[in-house]
């Protein structure tokens, strides 16, 4: 009877741990999506009118794609290119009126939470995270991962295929080669 009681308690503990993880995960995912909806940005090249929500991510990605589309000649070293990418990214996405920095920190910690969790199958949770990403968000993540600040998120993006399904913008395919 003691062995059976231990087994039952162990199963209940595992179930409670799974429920606790899922509750935390879905709260973090909702908070991340709320962040996307509440983001407001101003883009000088498009107009000086504030843009909110997912549309802001799309416009930021469009602006960055246009800036990166210009060919770099001669081809810079990896360090020079990372510095160039960081400068362009900061000029579009990290200005006081268009600061997407908290978005990337939030995404990093959401994926980190899943990666460090003691759950059997993490893949369905990571697929839910990826499914929530708009094409504009994926493009911004791509550009962010080119910068020195994006190295931590880049490892998760590559390991968990967070850019799968990305529809490319002009110039992006040139950068990936």
């Amino acid at each position: 009877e003691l062995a059976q009681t231990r087994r039952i308690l162990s199963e209940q503990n595992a179930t409670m741990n799974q429920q606790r993880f899922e509750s935390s995960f879905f709260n973090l995912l909702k908070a991340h999506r709320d962040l996307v909806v509440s983001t407001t940005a101003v883009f000088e090249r498009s107009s000086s009118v504030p843009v909110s929500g997912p549309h802001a991510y799309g416009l930021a990605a469009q602006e960055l794609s246009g800036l990166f589309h210009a060919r770099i000649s001669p081809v810079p070293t990896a360090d020079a290119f990372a510095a160039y990418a960081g400068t362009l990214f900061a000029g579009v996405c990290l200005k006081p009126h268009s600061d997407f920095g908290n978005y990337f920190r939030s995404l990093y910690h959401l994926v980190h939470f899943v990666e460090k969790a003691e759950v059997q199958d993490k893949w369905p949770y990571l697929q839910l995270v990826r499914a929530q990403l708009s094409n504009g968000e994926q493009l911004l993540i791509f550009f962010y991962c080119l910068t020195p600040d994006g190295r931590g998120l880049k490892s998760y993006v590559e390991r968990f295929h967070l850019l799968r399904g990305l529809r490319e913008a002009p110039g992006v395919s040139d950068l990936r080669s």
Side-chain angles (χ1 to χ4, degrees):
E1 286 182 25
L2 283 174
Q4 184 178 2
T5 302
R6 281 190 202 116
R7 184 182 54 79
I8 291 171
L9 287 174
S10 177
E11 289 172 4
Q12 287 175 344
N13 190 34
T15 300
M16 285 179 17
N17 285 339
Q18 181 73 25
Q19 289 173 342
R20 187 178 14 230
F21 164 77
E22 287 184 358
S23 176
S24 297
F25 169 77
F26 286 111
N27 284 330
L28 287 170
L29 187 61
K30 182 181 180 335
H32 184 72
R33 294 317 303 164
D34 289 346
L35 177 66
V36 170
V37 171
S38 68
T39 299
T40 301
V42 177
F43 302 103
E44 296 159 4
R45 288 178 46 167
S46 303
S47 73
S48 59
V49 177
V51 181
S52 297
H55 190 60
Y57 292 83
L59 281 178
Q62 184 179 11
E63 193 158 319
L64 274 170
S65 295
L67 292 171
F68 272 100
H69 190 64
R71 290 266 181 204
I72 301 171
S73 184
V75 177
T77 64
D79 289 337
F81 183 77
Y84 176 70
T87 301
L88 289 180
F89 185 84
V92 173
C93 296
L94 300 179
K95 300 181 305 187
H97 297 293
S98 302
D99 189 356
F100 291 90
N102 55 347
Y103 171 83
F104 298 107
R105 290 186 296 275
S106 173
L107 180 62
Y108 172 86
H109 287 290
L110 175 61
V111 176
H112 182 76
F113 175 77
V114 175
E115 198 260 339
K116 294 296 182 193
E118 294 181 12
V119 293
Q120 290 295 324
D121 189 11
K122 298 174 185 181
W123 192 243
Y125 302 102
L126 294 164
Q127 286 178 318
L128 282 173
V129 171
R130 186 179 66 209
Q132 297 291 312
L133 301 175
S134 68
N135 198 61
E137 290 173 79
Q138 286 183 311
L139 277 167
L140 285 186
I141 293 165
F142 172 80
F143 288 121
Y144 180 70
C145 289
L146 294 175
T147 71
D149 291 339
R151 289 185 186 131
L153 182 59
K154 181 180 179 181
S155 65
Y156 287 143
V157 166
E158 290 173 343
R159 189 174 337 142
F160 301 128
H161 312 286
L162 295 180
L163 298 183
R164 182 175 290 157
L166 171 66
R167 293 183 313 273
E168 293 182 4
V172 172
S173 59
D174 300 335
L175 294 171
R176 293 194 336 181
S177 55

